[in-house]
Amino acid sequence: MLFKKPSILVTSKLPGNALEAFGEDYKIKSLAGKRAPDKKELKKLFAKADGAITLLSDQIDETVLTGSKVKIIANYAVGYNNIDIKTASEKNILVTNTPDVLTDATADLAWALILSAARRIPEGEKIVRSGKFKGWAPELLLGMDLSHKTIGIVGMGRIGRAVARRALAFGMKIVYADSRRLLPSEEEPYGAKFVDLETLLKDSDIVSLHCPLTDETRRILGRDRLFSMRKGAVLINTARGPIVDEEALAEALESHLFAAGLDVYEKEPEVHPALLKMKNAVLLPHIGSAGRETREEMARMAVNNIIAFFDGKVPPNLIPEQVTGVTH
Ligand code: NAP
């Protein structure tokens, strides 16, 4: 053990019993049951803890990291755009995430949104529950057929590929845009075609976002690009809210797009009021990875990363920037 009884901050209640693995060797400060800490509180807590398990909603910026005693941050998410990685790395603070384990759950949810948006599921639900269902009708809630259509995947990483696997079962064609082209052997199982973002937006009936939020991808879908999408297309965002200009999306939903399915928002938990008014927007409360086993496994991963570090080992899920030494 590197430290005698390290003190670990856990900023929220986590599902399952993963924290039990810390046993008597660690001192745990859990904020379970309390409201989410703001930046000022996080700064105070980081000044006293040796390690921290954080949520994607905890903004760990330079202010929080200045004067911090924390040596390792285990983020309870695969995305880590909530952490200032440059500053953490400069201060030799390790950052870990929870990749792979949530891939299928998130791809399932992306598909739940694709089907809901394309086939107008929430509108149908509302009709039945409000007593307005008067019987089968040839033109009731006509939606978008999926088979033989094209899905455009932005970010063909773990979740993007899992979405592509599911798309094959629906008989769809797959195009993708990414920061790099996959190897032919990686493309081959999906029959996926590498295109630039402009071509993807023009040629896809469904566009599904699976890139991380970085300086480069922030608002990558602004007004011009949203209106350059195929008319009557569907946009799905289970990646991160700030990748899309929400106000422009609401406008595009009025006149240009068939529907959108969103799990994430620009200013979470706020949702742009214009989007709330659109009945062709299917809106979920950031539940991409919210399968019970998935969330319990994410907690185990976070705990294992902390334990590995204080045992003097390299944490198994160090973020790529810290493996390669490159920062965004
Ligand atoms: P991943 O395996 O790292 O995949 C991300 C892919 O996006 C990589 O292939 C990456 O390429 C690519 N990419 C990076 N910059 C890009 C750009 N400018 N344009 C197009 N593609 C770009 O990550 P993942 O596990 O699939 O997760 C993806 C994201 O999903 C996470 O970052 C997170 O924000 C989000 N997520 C959301 C939920 C939810 O609850 N809604 C759950 C899980 C994850 P390189 O590898 O070359 O950089």
Side-chain angles (χ1 to χ4, degrees), residues 56 78-81 99-100 102-103 106 109 154-161 177-180 182 209-214 216-217 220 237-240 263-264 286-290 295:
L56 53 85
V78 68
Y80 42 87
N81 51 282
D100 297 312
L102 44 57
T103 296
T106 311
L109 193 92
V154 181
M156 194 70 163
R158 290 171 292 245
I159 299 170
R161 290 180 216 196
D178 200 297
S179 42
R180 63 176 180 96
L182 303 187
L209 305 178
H210 302 289
C211 52
L213 173 62
T214 61
E216 198 191 327
T217 61
I220 200 171
N237 188 5
T238 57
R240 285 290 182 264
D263 187 40
V264 289
H286 204 151
I287 52 170
S289 64
R295 288 279 172 88

Side-chain angles (χ1 to χ4, degrees), residues 62-123:
E62 197 179 348
T63 316
V64 174
L65 293 173
T66 302
S68 154
K69 198 169 143 243
V70 165
K71 297 280 173 290
I72 175 166
I73 304 168
N75 210 37
Y76 184 68
V78 68
Y80 42 87
N81 51 282
N82 56 308
I83 302 174
D84 178 345
I85 298 303
K86 191 168 173 285
T87 304
S89 303
E90 279 164 11
K91 293 184 180 299
N92 291 322
I93 300 169
L94 298 190
V95 179
T96 66
N97 65 347
T98 62
D100 297 312
V101 62
L102 44 57
T103 296
D104 282 325
T106 311
D108 288 347
L109 193 92
W111 265 94
L113 281 171
I114 292 170
L115 290 166
S116 299
R119 296 298 302 274
R120 306 173 66 178
I121 306 295
E123 286 178 80

Side-chain angles (χ1 to χ4, degrees), residues 5-288:
K5 207 153 180 148
S7 125
I8 309 298
L9 167 69
V10 186
T11 66
S12 177
K13 181 172 181 335
L14 301 178
N17 55 7
L19 296 186
E20 287 174 12
F22 284 127
E24 295 299 307
D25 296 339
Y26 291 80
K27 195 173 143 208
I28 305 303
K29 176 158 181 72
S30 167
L31 305 186
K34 302 198 174 125
R35 67 172 169 74
D38 61 20
K39 256 202 271 187
K40 215 168 132 192
E41 288 161 326
L42 279 172
K43 187 174 167 62
K44 273 194 198 158
L45 293 161
F46 265 56
K48 290 189 196 143
D50 299 305
I53 298 181
T54 53
L55 303 189
L56 53 85
S57 45
D58 297 323
Q59 290 307 315
I60 314 296
D61 63 8
E62 197 179 348
T63 316
V64 174
L65 293 173
T66 302
S68 154
K69 198 169 143 243
V70 165
K71 297 280 173 290
I72 175 166
I73 304 168
N75 210 37
Y76 184 68
V78 68
Y80 42 87
N81 51 282
N82 56 308
I83 302 174
D84 178 345
I85 298 303
K86 191 168 173 285
T87 304
S89 303
E90 279 164 11
K91 293 184 180 299
N92 291 322
I93 300 169
L94 298 190
V95 179
T96 66
N97 65 347
T98 62
D100 297 312
V101 62
L102 44 57
T103 296
D104 282 325
T106 311
D108 288 347
L109 193 92
W111 265 94
L113 281 171
I114 292 170
L115 290 166
S116 299
R119 296 298 302 274
R120 306 173 66 178
I121 306 295
E123 286 178 80
E125 250 262 318
K126 210 167 162 191
I127 288 175
V128 175
R129 287 184 191 277
S130 63
K132 289 183 182 151
F133 176 43
K134 302 296 178 210
W136 191 90
E139 294 195 314
L140 179 63
L141 287 183
L142 294 182
M144 180 197 280
D145 287 308
L146 291 174
S147 88
H148 308 301
K149 295 279 168 60
T150 299
I151 182 166
I153 295 174
V154 181
M156 194 70 163
R158 290 171 292 245
I159 299 170
R161 290 180 216 196
V163 167
R165 273 197 292 284
R166 287 153 177 76
L168 290 177
F170 280 85
M172 298 187 79
K173 283 181 252 162
I174 299 163
V175 297
Y176 74 96
D178 200 297
S179 42
R180 63 176 180 96
R181 184 173 179 175
L182 303 187
L183 298 171
S185 59
E186 291 173 313
E187 282 178 352
E188 202 264 337
Y190 313 100
K193 189 175 165 202
F194 179 65
V195 292
D196 60 31
L197 183 59
E198 272 59 41
T199 308
L200 180 144
L201 295 174
K202 187 167 60 66
D203 290 353
S204 302
D205 302 287
I206 306 279
V207 173
S208 196
L209 305 178
H210 302 289
C211 52
L213 173 62
T214 61
D215 289 346
E216 198 191 327
T217 61
R218 188 173 293 277
R219 287 215 173 186
I220 200 171
L221 284 197
R223 185 177 307 270
D224 289 351
R225 284 205 171 119
L226 286 165
F227 278 90
S228 77
M229 284 173 67
R230 185 173 268 192
K231 190 157 170 67
V234 171
L235 176 71
I236 304 297
N237 188 5
T238 57
R240 285 290 182 264
I243 294 171
V244 179
D245 177 345
E246 270 179 13
E247 192 171 340
L249 174 61
E251 239 179 78
L253 283 169
E254 270 179 19
S255 58
H256 189 69
L257 299 179
F258 180 72
L262 308 176
D263 187 40
V264 289
Y265 304 91
E266 266 190 296
K267 294 183 186 154
E268 246 170 76
E270 279 171 45
V271 181
H272 197 290
L275 276 180
L276 288 172
K277 288 189 197 138
M278 304 304 300
K279 68 175 180 183
N280 54 349
V282 183
L283 307 173
L284 295 181
H286 204 151
I287 52 170

